[in-house]
Amino acid sequence: MKSGRRLLTTTAVAVVCAITVLAAPGAAFAAPTPPPPPAPAPSASTDVAPSKDLEAVREKLDGLYRAAAVATEEYNAAEEKTEQQSTEIARLAKKIAEGRKRLDELKDRAGAAAASQYRGGGLPPEAHLMLSDDPQEFLVGAGRIRQGQHATRGLLGETRRAQEDLEQYAQDAGTQLRKLEAGRKAKAKAQRKIEKQIAAAEKIESELEQEEKERLAELERRAAEKAQSAWLDSGVLDGIGAQATEQGRKAVAYATAQIGKPYEWGAEGPKTYDCSGLTSQAWKAGGQGIPRTSQEQWKRLTRVAVAEMRPGDLVIYFEDASHVGMYVGDGAIVHAPRPGRTITIAGAGSMPILGVVRPDPDADKTDDKDESDKGGKSGENGKGGRKAGAN
C-alpha cells in the first residue's frame, strides 16, 4: 500500500513538473519522474553519466547560487527594515510637528498669564487687603489669585512635559535615521554579494558547450530525483491527509498561477519573484500577512511536523533557512528556485528540509467549530504550534 502511494505521488509530481519544464527547460529543482523503460546501454558518445569535471561544475554552481540565495534573504531583510524605519521616521516627524504646535500654544498662554499678572501690579494678597475698602471683595479676589497661581503652575508643568516629549521624539527620530542608514548599507553590501555570486555562476555556465549544459541539467534532475525518492521511501507521507484551509487554498492558487514566471532576487511580483517573495505574496492573496524573508518565516510562524503538513504550509530548506517553497499536496511544492530558472513544481524532498511552518494555525479552531456546528467530525487538519524537526 505504501509503495503504491509513493508511486502515485511520484508520478503525479512528475507529470506537473514535466509540463512546467516544457515551458521553461532546465528547472533547478525538478520533481522526480518515473524511471525510463529499459533500453540498450548507451554508447560512450551519448552517455549522460557525469564526468568528474562536470559533477564538480554542478557542485560549484550549486554553491554559488546557494550563496546568492543567502545574500538575497539578507537583502530582503534589510529592505524590510528600511521600510519599517522610514514609516517610523514619518510617524515621528508628524509627532514633532504636532509637538511644536502644542508648545507654541502653551507658550502663548503662559505669556498671556504673565502679562495679566503684570497688569495686576503683582501685589501680594496682604497689600490688596490694606488697599481694599470691602473685605468681601478682597476674599473673592484672593481666591481668584490662588486659582490663577494654580493654573499658571499647571500651565508651566504642561509646557515642560511638552518640551520633554518633543526632545524625546527628536532623539527617537535620530536613532531611526541612523538605523535607516545602516540598513541601506546592509542592502548595498548584500546586493554586491548577490551580483558577485550570480556573475561567477553565469560565467561558468557561459563557458560550457551546449551538450555540457544539457548533461548538467540532467545531473541536476537526477540529484533532485534521488533526494525526493529517498524522502518518499522514508514513509514521511504515509498517513498525510490534511485538507487545505480556505486561506490555504487561495494561497496555493495564487502561487501555482505564477508557474513559468522568472526568478528575480528581491522581487515580489507580479512579473518576477524570489522564493520568499512568492510565498509572502501568495499568503497575502490568501488574506494572511506573513514575514517577507524565509528566515523570518521560519522564526515567527507556527511550526508543524512534516507528517502533519497540509497544502499552503511552507517548507523551509537548508540549515540557514535560506530557501522556502509552498506545499501543494502529494509530496510536491511550488517554488521560485534560483536565477536563470522559473517558478515550478518540485518534489518537496528534493532539497534538505529544515522544517515546516504554518501561516494560519488559528484556522484549525475555526474549522473544528464549523465541523462541530454541522455535526461533523473535527480533527481532520494538522494541529498548529508543535515544534518539529525536519523528518
Side-chain angles (χ1 to χ4, degrees):
M1 181 66 178
K2 293 183 179 179
S3 60
R5 177 181 178 83
R6 287 198 294 273
L7 179 57
L8 178 60
T9 298
T10 303
T11 304
V13 174
V15 169
V16 179
C17 184
I19 295 172
T20 305
V21 171
L22 286 175
F29 301 110
T33 58
S43 63
S45 60
T46 60
D47 190 359
V48 295
S51 67
K52 290 183 179 180
D53 289 343
L54 199 55
E55 177 63 22
V57 168
R58 187 190 71 82
E59 293 177 357
K60 177 67 173 177
L61 287 173
D62 185 62
L64 289 170
Y65 282 122
R66 281 274 299 109
V70 173
T72 295
E73 292 305 280
E74 291 174 359
Y75 177 92
N76 291 336
E79 183 176 48
E80 187 175 34
K81 286 180 181 178
T82 56
E83 290 176 356
Q84 292 171 351
Q85 288 150 5
S86 295
T87 300
E88 180 64 10
I89 288 171
R91 186 188 72 82
L92 290 169
K94 183 179 179 181
K95 287 287 187 182
I96 289 171
E98 293 172 349
R100 285 175 176 167
K101 182 179 179 181
R102 175 63 175 161
L103 191 59
D104 288 342
E105 292 173 352
L106 291 171
K107 286 180 178 180
D108 289 344
R109 287 171 57 189
S116 176
Q117 186 177 8
Y118 176 79
R119 286 193 298 271
L123 295 176
E126 294 82 0
H128 282 283
L129 178 61
M130 293 177 64
L131 295 174
S132 176
D133 295 332
D134 186 350
Q136 182 63 32
E137 180 182 348
F138 161 74
L139 292 175
V140 172
R144 289 174 179 170
I145 289 173
R146 283 193 297 273
Q147 290 176 357
Q149 289 173 339
H150 287 310
T152 300
R153 284 195 294 271
L155 185 60
L156 291 174
E158 189 175 355
T159 302
R160 184 180 66 255
R161 289 191 295 272
Q163 180 69 44
E164 290 172 351
D165 289 343
L166 192 58
E167 291 174 355
Q168 186 62 54
Y169 292 146
Q171 290 178 9
D172 292 345
T175 299
Q176 291 300 322
L177 281 170
R178 288 190 291 274
K179 289 181 178 179
L180 181 61
E181 183 59 27
R184 286 172 175 165
K185 289 180 179 179
K187 278 178 62 178
K189 181 179 179 181
Q191 181 173 347
R192 289 192 297 271
K193 288 168 64 177
I194 295 166
E195 292 172 345
K196 179 181 178 181
Q197 301 296 336
I198 293 176
E202 289 177 342
K203 183 176 184 299
I204 291 174
E205 290 185 300
S206 69
E207 295 173 350
L208 296 175
E209 298 293 338
Q210 182 60 34
E211 181 185 356
E212 291 176 316
K213 291 180 181 178
E214 293 173 358
R215 293 172 64 197
L216 183 63
E218 177 67 11
L219 284 180
E220 291 178 349
R221 187 191 68 78
R222 289 188 176 187
E225 178 182 330
K226 181 179 179 181
Q228 175 74 352
S229 295
W231 185 65
L232 292 175
D233 288 343
S234 71
V236 67
L237 293 187
D238 294 344
I240 287 185
Q243 301 298 310
T245 62
E246 182 179 354
Q247 285 184 311
R249 286 192 293 272
K250 290 179 180 179
V252 170
Y254 180 96
T256 53
Q258 313 312 309
I259 289 174
K261 293 184 179 181
Y263 175 102
E264 181 182 3
W265 64 265
E268 298 177 80
K271 295 182 179 180
T272 60
Y273 297 84
D274 62 22
C275 67
S276 56
L278 176 64
T279 54
S280 60
Q281 289 301 305
W283 269 101
K284 182 178 180 181
Q288 178 74 42
I290 65 172
R292 168 65 175 87
T293 69
S294 57
Q295 286 96 343
E296 287 302 306
Q297 290 169 4
W298 173 243
K299 288 179 183 177
R300 293 163 54 186
L301 298 181
T302 300
R303 299 182 187 180
V304 297
V306 173
E308 295 180 0
M309 64 183 175
R310 66 190 181 204
D313 288 347
L314 305 182
V315 185
I316 309 297
Y317 294 96
F318 305 106
E319 291 184 357
D320 53 10
S322 58
H323 190 69
V324 59
M326 178 179 292
Y327 186 63
V328 295
D330 291 330
I333 60 165
V334 57
H335 73 145
R338 66 164 174 82
R341 299 292 189 258
T342 59
I343 295 172
T344 187
I345 296 290
S350 59
M351 296 168 284
I353 295 176
L354 177 62
V356 178
V357 293
R358 178 163 295 165
D360 61 339
D362 293 337
D364 293 337
K365 300 173 184 177
T366 303
D367 291 347
D368 288 348
K369 182 178 183 301
D370 291 343
E371 289 298 323
S372 177
D373 291 342
K374 295 175 184 178
K377 296 181 180 180
S378 62
E380 291 271 316
N381 295 318
K383 296 182 175 63
R386 286 187 56 184
K387 299 286 183 181
N391 295 344

